[in-house]
Amino acid sequence: EGLFSRDGYRYNSEVMPPNVDNIVISYGNPKLGSRPYFNTCEDEEDKDRDDIEKNYWTTTHGGIGGTPMDGDYPGVEKMQSENNGWKERIKEGAVYYAEHILLGVDHVKGYGAEMECSESMKADMFIRNK
């Protein structure tokens, strides 16, 4: 039986189909600022749901999806680096400032390629082991 085979179910990307028994999600760390518009980080409405088994990882949107150091990693790594932190990037404009301050982006100590890859592998194994 497919995900969308029940007559009573109408496709809605905000609701899990009724014939899905297990929901397991690896969420990214919102402080990285990696593509929050792709629901990389936990949605407010999911915070109190008991039917979702979840864990949190300090890796980018690509890292959560199994492609660490790809996608927006170069920009996130540049923003997180000690010499070019997010506070310095505020100078680039009010839009950037508003997006990152409002989204809660902050410096994550020790973030870089090693953490990106390690956390990505952990996120993948968390999903695979369920």
Side-chain angles (χ1 to χ4, degrees):
E1 186 175 320
L3 286 177
F4 309 111
S5 62
R6 294 193 179 168
D7 289 337
Y9 178 76
R10 301 289 182 253
Y11 179 74
N12 177 350
S13 64
E14 301 296 318
V15 178
M16 193 58 66
N19 56 343
V20 173
D21 294 326
N22 301 311
I23 305 171
V24 181
I25 303 174
S26 285
Y27 288 115
N29 183 339
K31 289 184 176 186
L32 288 180
S34 176
R35 299 187 180 170
Y37 44 87
F38 284 144
N39 290 337
T40 299
C41 303
E42 186 173 28
D43 289 332
E44 193 64 36
E45 59 269 9
D46 289 346
K47 288 187 187 283
D48 295 324
R49 289 184 57 176
D50 294 331
D51 60 331
I52 298 176
E53 189 172 350
K54 55 193 167 191
N55 213 329
Y56 308 86
W57 313 98
T58 303
T59 187
T60 60
H61 175 79
I64 292 293
T67 57
M69 300 184 68
D70 200 4
D72 67 341
Y73 171 78
V76 170
E77 197 279 329
K78 181 179 178 184
M79 182 178 60
Q80 286 289 328
S81 71
E82 293 289 333
N83 296 325
N84 191 18
W86 68 273
K87 290 180 182 178
E88 293 298 317
R89 303 267 321 266
I90 289 172
K91 297 174 187 174
E92 295 179 14
V95 172
Y96 184 92
Y97 174 84
E99 287 176 354
H100 289 80
I101 297 301
L102 294 174
L103 293 173
V105 173
D106 200 353
H107 179 72
V108 175
K109 186 174 177 72
Y111 180 76
E114 186 175 329
M115 185 183 289
E116 169 78 359
C117 293
S118 173
E119 292 286 288
S120 176
M121 288 188 296
K122 291 174 189 175
D124 183 60
M125 293 309 297
F126 174 71
I127 297 290
R128 289 177 188 263
N129 287 325
K130 300 302 170 187

Tab-separated table of all heavy atoms in Angstrom, residues 7-69:
chain	number	residue	atom	x	y	z
A	7	ASP	N	-8.251	6.751	0.461
A	7	ASP	CA	-9.174	7.754	-0.068
A	7	ASP	C	-9.313	8.963	0.848
A	7	ASP	O	-9.491	10.076	0.377
A	7	ASP	CB	-10.570	7.144	-0.288
A	7	ASP	CG	-10.562	6.179	-1.460
A	7	ASP	OD1	-9.684	6.307	-2.333
A	7	ASP	OD2	-11.432	5.304	-1.492
A	8	GLY	N	-9.230	8.750	2.163
A	8	GLY	CA	-9.428	9.838	3.106
A	8	GLY	C	-8.234	10.776	3.228
A	8	GLY	O	-8.318	11.809	3.865
A	9	TYR	N	-7.124	10.406	2.601
A	9	TYR	CA	-5.930	11.225	2.722
A	9	TYR	C	-5.790	12.118	1.496
A	9	TYR	O	-5.830	11.665	0.378
A	9	TYR	CB	-4.691	10.343	2.862
A	9	TYR	CG	-3.415	11.154	2.930
A	9	TYR	CD1	-3.070	11.820	4.084
A	9	TYR	CD2	-2.589	11.264	1.824
A	9	TYR	CE1	-1.928	12.582	4.157
A	9	TYR	CE2	-1.443	12.020	1.890
A	9	TYR	CZ	-1.114	12.674	3.059
A	9	TYR	OH	0.018	13.429	3.115
A	10	ARG	N	-5.625	13.372	1.722
A	10	ARG	CA	-5.354	14.336	0.657
A	10	ARG	C	-3.967	14.889	0.903
A	10	ARG	O	-3.647	15.298	2.021
A	10	ARG	CB	-6.380	15.477	0.646
A	10	ARG	CG	-7.796	14.996	0.451
A	10	ARG	CD	-7.968	14.501	-0.992
A	10	ARG	NE	-9.332	14.079	-1.228
A	10	ARG	CZ	-9.720	12.821	-1.354
A	10	ARG	NH1	-8.851	11.849	-1.226
A	10	ARG	NH2	-10.967	12.521	-1.588
A	11	TYR	N	-3.141	14.912	-0.132
A	11	TYR	CA	-1.754	15.322	0.038
A	11	TYR	C	-1.649	16.685	0.698
A	11	TYR	O	-2.267	17.646	0.287
A	11	TYR	CB	-1.023	15.349	-1.300
A	11	TYR	CG	0.405	15.801	-1.141
A	11	TYR	CD1	1.346	14.944	-0.592
A	11	TYR	CD2	0.798	17.076	-1.491
A	11	TYR	CE1	2.649	15.349	-0.406
A	11	TYR	CE2	2.104	17.492	-1.308
A	11	TYR	CZ	3.020	16.620	-0.769
A	11	TYR	OH	4.306	17.032	-0.576
A	12	ASN	N	-0.863	16.716	1.751
A	12	ASN	CA	-0.585	17.942	2.484
A	12	ASN	C	0.818	17.784	3.050
A	12	ASN	O	1.049	16.913	3.888
A	12	ASN	CB	-1.610	18.138	3.601
A	12	ASN	CG	-1.334	19.358	4.440
A	12	ASN	OD1	-0.286	19.989	4.333
A	12	ASN	ND2	-2.273	19.693	5.300
A	13	SER	N	1.747	18.612	2.620
A	13	SER	CA	3.132	18.461	3.050
A	13	SER	C	3.332	18.768	4.530
A	13	SER	O	4.371	18.485	5.097
A	13	SER	CB	4.052	19.358	2.219
A	13	SER	OG	3.734	20.715	2.430
A	14	GLU	N	2.321	19.323	5.179
A	14	GLU	CA	2.429	19.654	6.600
A	14	GLU	C	1.978	18.508	7.502
A	14	GLU	O	2.136	18.568	8.710
A	14	GLU	CB	1.580	20.894	6.917
A	14	GLU	CG	1.977	22.132	6.127
A	14	GLU	CD	3.383	22.606	6.454
A	14	GLU	OE1	3.755	22.603	7.632
A	14	GLU	OE2	4.117	22.959	5.511
A	15	VAL	N	1.394	17.457	6.927
A	15	VAL	CA	0.830	16.366	7.721
A	15	VAL	C	1.374	15.031	7.215
A	15	VAL	O	1.397	14.783	6.013
A	15	VAL	CB	-0.720	16.368	7.608
A	15	VAL	CG1	-1.312	15.209	8.383
A	15	VAL	CG2	-1.285	17.682	8.080
A	16	MET	N	1.806	14.180	8.140
A	16	MET	CA	2.288	12.859	7.773
A	16	MET	C	1.096	11.982	7.391
A	16	MET	O	0.067	12.016	8.064
A	16	MET	CB	3.035	12.244	8.954
A	16	MET	CG	3.841	11.026	8.592
A	16	MET	SD	5.098	11.249	7.327
A	16	MET	CE	6.259	12.339	8.111
A	17	PRO	N	1.202	11.208	6.312
A	17	PRO	CA	0.101	10.310	5.921
A	17	PRO	C	-0.260	9.359	7.068
A	17	PRO	O	0.611	8.965	7.852
A	17	PRO	CB	0.672	9.533	4.739
A	17	PRO	CG	1.752	10.407	4.200
A	17	PRO	CD	2.319	11.132	5.386
A	18	PRO	N	-1.513	8.970	7.190
A	18	PRO	CA	-1.965	8.147	8.319
A	18	PRO	C	-1.383	6.739	8.357
A	18	PRO	O	-1.424	6.091	9.385
A	18	PRO	CB	-3.487	8.107	8.158
A	18	PRO	CG	-3.731	8.437	6.735
A	18	PRO	CD	-2.612	9.324	6.289
A	19	ASN	N	-0.851	6.256	7.237
A	19	ASN	CA	-0.299	4.906	7.244
A	19	ASN	C	1.214	4.888	7.483
A	19	ASN	O	1.877	3.897	7.250
A	19	ASN	CB	-0.653	4.160	5.960
A	19	ASN	CG	-0.212	4.903	4.717
A	19	ASN	OD1	0.072	6.087	4.755
A	19	ASN	ND2	-0.184	4.204	3.607
A	20	VAL	N	1.769	5.982	8.008
A	20	VAL	CA	3.173	6.027	8.411
A	20	VAL	C	3.217	5.775	9.915
A	20	VAL	O	2.639	6.520	10.698
A	20	VAL	CB	3.804	7.396	8.068
A	20	VAL	CG1	5.205	7.492	8.653
A	20	VAL	CG2	3.838	7.599	6.566
A	21	ASP	N	3.881	4.681	10.298
A	21	ASP	CA	3.912	4.284	11.703
A	21	ASP	C	5.045	4.926	12.491
A	21	ASP	O	4.913	5.192	13.675
A	21	ASP	CB	4.037	2.761	11.819
A	21	ASP	CG	2.812	2.049	11.281
A	21	ASP	OD1	1.697	2.582	11.410
A	21	ASP	OD2	2.984	0.949	10.721
A	22	ASN	N	6.193	5.137	11.861
A	22	ASN	CA	7.362	5.653	12.569
A	22	ASN	C	7.875	6.918	11.892
A	22	ASN	O	8.123	6.928	10.694
A	22	ASN	CB	8.488	4.615	12.587
A	22	ASN	CG	8.056	3.340	13.262
A	22	ASN	OD1	7.510	3.367	14.353
A	22	ASN	ND2	8.302	2.219	12.614
A	23	ILE	N	8.069	7.959	12.682
A	23	ILE	CA	8.640	9.208	12.177
A	23	ILE	C	9.951	9.427	12.926
A	23	ILE	O	9.967	9.555	14.145
A	23	ILE	CB	7.699	10.403	12.414
A	23	ILE	CG1	6.318	10.136	11.805
A	23	ILE	CG2	8.313	11.672	11.837
A	23	ILE	CD1	5.279	11.181	12.191
A	24	VAL	N	11.056	9.431	12.177
A	24	VAL	CA	12.378	9.627	12.753
A	24	VAL	C	13.021	10.780	11.993
A	24	VAL	O	13.103	10.747	10.770
A	24	VAL	CB	13.245	8.356	12.636
A	24	VAL	CG1	14.614	8.573	13.262
A	24	VAL	CG2	12.548	7.170	13.273
A	25	ILE	N	13.482	11.814	12.728
A	25	ILE	CA	14.008	13.009	12.078
A	25	ILE	C	15.330	13.416	12.720
A	25	ILE	O	15.459	13.450	13.939
A	25	ILE	CB	13.019	14.189	12.189
A	25	ILE	CG1	11.661	13.824	11.587
A	25	ILE	CG2	13.587	15.433	11.505
A	25	ILE	CD1	10.591	14.885	11.787
A	26	SER	N	16.308	13.731	11.880
A	26	SER	CA	17.547	14.365	12.321
A	26	SER	C	17.413	15.849	12.022
A	26	SER	O	17.212	16.242	10.879
A	26	SER	CB	18.753	13.792	11.564
A	26	SER	OG	19.078	12.516	12.032
A	27	TYR	N	17.498	16.667	13.053
A	27	TYR	CA	17.398	18.115	12.888
A	27	TYR	C	18.780	18.754	12.947
A	27	TYR	O	19.651	18.284	13.667
A	27	TYR	CB	16.553	18.734	14.010
A	27	TYR	CG	15.083	18.453	13.926
A	27	TYR	CD1	14.444	17.702	14.893
A	27	TYR	CD2	14.320	18.969	12.889
A	27	TYR	CE1	13.082	17.464	14.838
A	27	TYR	CE2	12.949	18.732	12.814
A	27	TYR	CZ	12.342	17.984	13.791
A	27	TYR	OH	11.000	17.754	13.729
A	28	GLY	N	18.935	19.855	12.230
A	28	GLY	CA	20.171	20.615	12.279
A	28	GLY	C	20.146	21.631	13.407
A	28	GLY	O	19.105	21.925	13.987
A	29	ASN	N	21.319	22.175	13.707
A	29	ASN	CA	21.462	23.190	14.737
A	29	ASN	C	21.112	24.549	14.125
A	29	ASN	O	21.792	25.004	13.207
A	29	ASN	CB	22.900	23.184	15.245
A	29	ASN	CG	23.153	24.154	16.368
A	29	ASN	OD1	22.413	25.113	16.560
A	29	ASN	ND2	24.212	23.923	17.112
A	30	PRO	N	20.076	25.220	14.608
A	30	PRO	CA	19.682	26.497	14.008
A	30	PRO	C	20.754	27.578	14.107
A	30	PRO	O	20.755	28.517	13.312
A	30	PRO	CB	18.431	26.896	14.797
A	30	PRO	CG	18.480	26.112	16.056
A	30	PRO	CD	19.243	24.861	15.750
A	31	LYS	N	21.691	27.448	15.044
A	31	LYS	CA	22.746	28.450	15.173
A	31	LYS	C	23.661	28.506	13.956
A	31	LYS	O	24.330	29.500	13.730
A	31	LYS	CB	23.563	28.207	16.442
A	31	LYS	CG	22.799	28.529	17.697
A	31	LYS	CD	23.662	28.382	18.908
A	31	LYS	CE	22.882	28.805	20.144
A	31	LYS	NZ	23.732	28.820	21.326
A	32	LEU	N	23.696	27.423	13.158
A	32	LEU	CA	24.522	27.436	11.954
A	32	LEU	C	23.929	28.336	10.869
A	32	LEU	O	24.646	28.831	10.016
A	32	LEU	CB	24.695	26.027	11.391
A	32	LEU	CG	25.585	25.078	12.169
A	32	LEU	CD1	25.650	23.736	11.463
A	32	LEU	CD2	26.975	25.656	12.342
A	33	GLY	N	22.615	28.502	10.860
A	33	GLY	CA	21.979	29.319	9.831
A	33	GLY	C	21.909	28.638	8.478
A	33	GLY	O	21.854	29.286	7.439
A	34	SER	N	21.902	27.325	8.457
A	34	SER	CA	21.900	26.582	7.204
A	34	SER	C	20.485	26.323	6.707
A	34	SER	O	19.773	25.480	7.230
A	34	SER	CB	22.625	25.245	7.394
A	34	SER	OG	22.555	24.478	6.207
A	35	ARG	N	20.084	27.059	5.713
A	35	ARG	CA	18.821	26.879	5.004
A	35	ARG	C	17.612	26.602	5.897
A	35	ARG	O	16.938	25.578	5.764
A	35	ARG	CB	18.966	25.778	3.968
A	35	ARG	CG	20.018	26.128	2.946
A	35	ARG	CD	20.078	25.167	1.827
A	35	ARG	NE	21.117	25.601	0.915
A	35	ARG	CZ	21.548	24.873	-0.086
A	35	ARG	NH1	21.062	23.687	-0.315
A	35	ARG	NH2	22.482	25.338	-0.871
A	36	PRO	N	17.307	27.492	6.807
A	36	PRO	CA	16.172	27.271	7.709
A	36	PRO	C	14.838	27.197	6.967
A	36	PRO	O	13.893	26.597	7.458
A	36	PRO	CB	16.219	28.483	8.640
A	36	PRO	CG	16.944	29.523	7.873
A	36	PRO	CD	17.949	28.784	7.027
A	37	TYR	N	14.769	27.756	5.780
A	37	TYR	CA	13.542	27.712	4.981
A	37	TYR	C	13.278	26.333	4.402
A	37	TYR	O	12.231	26.086	3.831
A	37	TYR	CB	13.596	28.769	3.863
A	37	TYR	CG	14.926	28.821	3.145
A	37	TYR	CD1	15.200	27.996	2.063
A	37	TYR	CD2	15.917	29.693	3.579
A	37	TYR	CE1	16.414	28.030	1.421
A	37	TYR	CE2	17.139	29.752	2.940
A	37	TYR	CZ	17.382	28.911	1.854
A	37	TYR	OH	18.598	28.954	1.223
A	38	PHE	N	14.212	25.379	4.540
A	38	PHE	CA	14.009	23.997	4.110
A	38	PHE	C	13.630	23.089	5.280
A	38	PHE	O	13.733	21.880	5.191
A	38	PHE	CB	15.263	23.438	3.445
A	38	PHE	CG	15.503	23.909	2.051
A	38	PHE	CD1	16.790	24.128	1.621
A	38	PHE	CD2	14.470	24.118	1.173
A	38	PHE	CE1	17.042	24.556	0.329
A	38	PHE	CE2	14.710	24.550	-0.113
A	38	PHE	CZ	15.998	24.769	-0.540
A	39	ASN	N	13.238	23.656	6.405
A	39	ASN	CA	12.893	22.889	7.602
A	39	ASN	C	14.033	21.989	8.059
A	39	ASN	O	13.815	20.873	8.499
A	39	ASN	CB	11.615	22.062	7.390
A	39	ASN	CG	10.395	22.932	7.301
A	39	ASN	OD1	10.385	24.057	7.782
A	39	ASN	ND2	9.354	22.431	6.673
A	40	THR	N	15.256	22.496	7.939
A	40	THR	CA	16.412	21.757	8.447
A	40	THR	C	16.340	21.644	9.962
A	40	THR	O	16.757	20.661	10.539
A	40	THR	CB	17.718	22.480	8.050
A	40	THR	OG1	17.777	22.528	6.623
A	40	THR	CG2	18.938	21.771	8.581
A	41	CYS	N	15.794	22.665	10.590
A	41	CYS	CA	15.689	22.699	12.049
A	41	CYS	C	14.256	22.388	12.466
A	41	CYS	O	13.336	22.479	11.677
A	41	CYS	CB	16.116	24.062	12.568
A	41	CYS	SG	17.791	24.479	12.047
A	42	GLU	N	14.088	22.071	13.703
A	42	GLU	CA	12.788	21.667	14.221
A	42	GLU	C	11.740	22.774	14.090
A	42	GLU	O	11.982	23.916	14.449
A	42	GLU	CB	12.929	21.272	15.692
A	42	GLU	CG	11.676	20.703	16.286
A	42	GLU	CD	11.919	20.175	17.684
A	42	GLU	OE1	12.810	20.665	18.382
A	42	GLU	OE2	11.200	19.252	18.073
A	43	ASP	N	10.577	22.407	13.552
A	43	ASP	CA	9.453	23.341	13.463
A	43	ASP	C	8.817	23.502	14.839
A	43	ASP	O	8.777	22.565	15.633
A	43	ASP	CB	8.372	22.810	12.507
A	43	ASP	CG	8.817	22.861	11.059
A	43	ASP	OD1	9.645	23.725	10.726
A	43	ASP	OD2	8.331	22.039	10.275
A	44	GLU	N	8.311	24.671	15.103
A	44	GLU	CA	7.662	24.969	16.382
A	44	GLU	C	6.551	23.962	16.699
A	44	GLU	O	6.416	23.496	17.827
A	44	GLU	CB	7.118	26.399	16.369
A	44	GLU	CG	6.721	26.900	17.720
A	44	GLU	CD	7.886	27.016	18.705
A	44	GLU	OE1	8.996	27.373	18.308
A	44	GLU	OE2	7.656	26.725	19.895
A	45	GLU	N	5.761	23.590	15.680
A	45	GLU	CA	4.634	22.684	15.923
A	45	GLU	C	5.074	21.244	16.189
A	45	GLU	O	4.291	20.429	16.666
A	45	GLU	CB	3.628	22.716	14.767
A	45	GLU	CG	4.173	22.336	13.424
A	45	GLU	CD	4.696	23.518	12.623
A	45	GLU	OE1	4.806	24.637	13.148
A	45	GLU	OE2	5.012	23.307	11.446
A	46	ASP	N	6.333	20.908	15.914
A	46	ASP	CA	6.826	19.554	16.173
A	46	ASP	C	7.436	19.399	17.567
A	46	ASP	O	7.679	18.287	18.011
A	46	ASP	CB	7.896	19.163	15.143
A	46	ASP	CG	7.315	18.925	13.768
A	46	ASP	OD1	6.078	18.808	13.652
A	46	ASP	OD2	8.101	18.862	12.805
A	47	LYS	N	7.697	20.485	18.254
A	47	LYS	CA	8.435	20.437	19.526
A	47	LYS	C	7.778	19.550	20.583
A	47	LYS	O	8.459	18.878	21.335
A	47	LYS	CB	8.641	21.833	20.082
A	47	LYS	CG	9.667	22.630	19.299
A	47	LYS	CD	9.976	23.935	19.981
A	47	LYS	CE	10.869	24.806	19.144
A	47	LYS	NZ	12.248	24.436	19.128
A	48	ASP	N	6.471	19.528	20.652
A	48	ASP	CA	5.784	18.766	21.694
A	48	ASP	C	5.183	17.454	21.191
A	48	ASP	O	4.421	16.817	21.909
A	48	ASP	CB	4.681	19.630	22.327
A	48	ASP	CG	5.259	20.835	23.056
A	48	ASP	OD1	6.343	20.695	23.653
A	48	ASP	OD2	4.631	21.902	23.014
A	49	ARG	N	5.533	17.044	19.995
A	49	ARG	CA	4.973	15.806	19.445
A	49	ARG	C	5.710	14.591	19.978
A	49	ARG	O	6.923	14.469	19.852
A	49	ARG	CB	5.040	15.834	17.922
A	49	ARG	CG	4.063	16.814	17.316
A	49	ARG	CD	4.062	16.785	15.827
A	49	ARG	NE	3.759	15.450	15.332
A	49	ARG	CZ	3.624	15.177	14.045
A	49	ARG	NH1	3.754	16.127	13.144
A	49	ARG	NH2	3.360	13.949	13.640
A	50	ASP	N	4.957	13.668	20.570
A	50	ASP	CA	5.536	12.443	21.106
A	50	ASP	C	5.725	11.368	20.036
A	50	ASP	O	6.435	10.393	20.261
A	50	ASP	CB	4.648	11.881	22.220
A	50	ASP	CG	4.621	12.792	23.430
A	50	ASP	OD1	5.623	13.500	23.665
A	50	ASP	OD2	3.593	12.808	24.133
A	51	ASP	N	5.067	11.541	18.876
A	51	ASP	CA	5.140	10.518	17.837
A	51	ASP	C	6.359	10.679	16.929
A	51	ASP	O	6.560	9.895	16.011
A	51	ASP	CB	3.864	10.505	16.996
A	51	ASP	CG	3.596	11.826	16.292
A	51	ASP	OD1	4.006	12.884	16.806
A	51	ASP	OD2	2.955	11.801	15.228
A	52	ILE	N	7.185	11.691	17.183
A	52	ILE	CA	8.391	11.901	16.389
A	52	ILE	C	9.605	11.557	17.238
A	52	ILE	O	9.814	12.112	18.310
A	52	ILE	CB	8.512	13.366	15.918
A	52	ILE	CG1	7.337	13.736	15.004
A	52	ILE	CG2	9.834	13.593	15.192
A	52	ILE	CD1	7.338	15.181	14.569
A	53	GLU	N	10.404	10.609	16.755
A	53	GLU	CA	11.678	10.313	17.394
A	53	GLU	C	12.715	11.207	16.718
A	53	GLU	O	12.867	11.174	15.492
A	53	GLU	CB	12.039	8.842	17.218
A	53	GLU	CG	13.230	8.444	18.028
A	53	GLU	CD	13.472	6.948	18.011
A	53	GLU	OE1	12.614	6.193	17.537
A	53	GLU	OE2	14.548	6.546	18.490
A	54	LYS	N	13.388	12.030	17.494
A	54	LYS	CA	14.253	13.052	16.895
A	54	LYS	C	15.555	13.201	17.660
A	54	LYS	O	15.665	12.815	18.813
A	54	LYS	CB	13.518	14.382	16.857
A	54	LYS	CG	13.004	14.823	18.218
A	54	LYS	CD	12.022	15.971	18.086
A	54	LYS	CE	11.308	16.167	19.418
A	54	LYS	NZ	10.193	17.069	19.313
A	55	ASN	N	16.519	13.760	16.959
A	55	ASN	CA	17.782	14.122	17.569
A	55	ASN	C	18.329	15.327	16.819
A	55	ASN	O	17.860	15.637	15.721
A	55	ASN	CB	18.772	12.962	17.545
A	55	ASN	CG	19.680	12.974	18.761
A	55	ASN	OD1	19.996	14.028	19.309
A	55	ASN	ND2	20.113	11.803	19.174
A	56	TYR	N	19.321	16.001	17.401
A	56	TYR	CA	19.824	17.263	16.874
A	56	TYR	C	21.320	17.148	16.589
A	56	TYR	O	22.053	16.579	17.386
A	56	TYR	CB	19.578	18.387	17.891
A	56	TYR	CG	18.136	18.434	18.343
A	56	TYR	CD1	17.701	17.645	19.406
A	56	TYR	CD2	17.195	19.211	17.680
A	56	TYR	CE1	16.377	17.652	19.801
A	56	TYR	CE2	15.871	19.227	18.076
A	56	TYR	CZ	15.473	18.444	19.139
A	56	TYR	OH	14.160	18.449	19.522
A	57	TRP	N	21.751	17.715	15.465
A	57	TRP	CA	23.131	17.583	15.026
A	57	TRP	C	23.655	18.937	14.549
A	57	TRP	O	22.932	19.711	13.929
A	57	TRP	CB	23.231	16.559	13.899
A	57	TRP	CG	22.480	15.315	14.241
A	57	TRP	CD1	21.211	14.993	13.837
A	57	TRP	CD2	22.888	14.254	15.092
A	57	TRP	NE1	20.836	13.784	14.379
A	57	TRP	CE2	21.849	13.316	15.153
A	57	TRP	CE3	24.060	14.005	15.798
A	57	TRP	CZ2	21.930	12.145	15.894
A	57	TRP	CZ3	24.137	12.831	16.534
A	57	TRP	CH2	23.083	11.919	16.582
A	58	THR	N	24.922	19.195	14.790
A	58	THR	CA	25.528	20.447	14.344
A	58	THR	C	26.166	20.217	12.981
A	58	THR	O	27.374	20.007	12.847
A	58	THR	CB	26.537	20.968	15.379
A	58	THR	OG1	25.849	21.125	16.622
A	58	THR	CG2	27.095	22.313	14.972
A	59	THR	N	25.314	20.213	11.987
A	59	THR	CA	25.722	20.048	10.597
A	59	THR	C	24.739	20.820	9.720
A	59	THR	O	23.656	21.173	10.169
A	59	THR	CB	25.809	18.552	10.212
A	59	THR	OG1	26.365	18.416	8.904
A	59	THR	CG2	24.458	17.872	10.259
A	60	THR	N	25.128	21.094	8.500
A	60	THR	CA	24.297	21.884	7.587
A	60	THR	C	23.119	21.076	7.051
A	60	THR	O	23.005	19.874	7.280
A	60	THR	CB	25.136	22.358	6.389
A	60	THR	OG1	25.650	21.201	5.716
A	60	THR	CG2	26.259	23.277	6.809
A	61	HIS	N	22.293	21.754	6.278
A	61	HIS	CA	21.175	21.099	5.585
A	61	HIS	C	21.704	19.928	4.747
A	61	HIS	O	21.142	18.840	4.773
A	61	HIS	CB	20.469	22.130	4.696
A	61	HIS	CG	19.384	21.567	3.859
A	61	HIS	ND1	18.133	21.293	4.367
A	61	HIS	CD2	19.351	21.233	2.549
A	61	HIS	CE1	17.376	20.802	3.401
A	61	HIS	NE2	18.085	20.759	2.296
A	62	GLY	N	22.797	20.154	4.034
A	62	GLY	CA	23.405	19.084	3.238
A	62	GLY	C	23.908	17.951	4.103
A	62	GLY	O	23.788	16.780	3.749
A	63	GLY	N	24.488	18.280	5.260
A	63	GLY	CA	24.981	17.256	6.178
A	63	GLY	C	23.870	16.379	6.702
A	63	GLY	O	24.004	15.163	6.785
A	64	ILE	N	22.737	16.981	7.028
A	64	ILE	CA	21.580	16.204	7.485
A	64	ILE	C	21.116	15.265	6.376
A	64	ILE	O	20.728	14.133	6.621
A	64	ILE	CB	20.410	17.146	7.900
A	64	ILE	CG1	20.772	17.923	9.164
A	64	ILE	CG2	19.097	16.382	8.078
A	64	ILE	CD1	20.899	17.096	10.417
A	65	GLY	N	21.223	15.723	5.134
A	65	GLY	CA	20.789	14.920	3.991
A	65	GLY	C	21.823	13.958	3.459
A	65	GLY	O	21.589	13.260	2.480
A	66	GLY	N	23.000	13.893	4.082
A	66	GLY	CA	24.011	12.920	3.684
A	66	GLY	C	25.078	13.451	2.745
A	66	GLY	O	25.884	12.678	2.227
A	67	THR	N	25.102	14.766	2.510
A	67	THR	CA	26.142	15.338	1.653
A	67	THR	C	26.873	16.463	2.390
A	67	THR	O	26.740	17.634	2.037
A	67	THR	CB	25.559	15.862	0.327
A	67	THR	OG1	24.538	16.827	0.624
A	67	THR	CG2	24.985	14.743	-0.513
A	68	PRO	N	27.627	16.110	3.435
A	68	PRO	CA	28.344	17.151	4.181
A	68	PRO	C	29.347	17.864	3.285
A	68	PRO	O	29.843	17.301	2.316
A	68	PRO	CB	29.057	16.370	5.285
A	68	PRO	CG	29.194	14.989	4.752
A	68	PRO	CD	27.974	14.770	3.890
A	69	MET	N	29.620	19.115	3.607
A	69	MET	CA	30.571	19.965	2.899
A	69	MET	C	30.122	20.299	1.479
A	69	MET	O	30.900	20.744	0.655
A	69	MET	CB	31.969	19.354	2.913
A	69	MET	CG	32.465	19.178	4.344
A	69	MET	SD	34.131	18.571	4.487
A	69	MET	CE	35.023	19.966	3.845
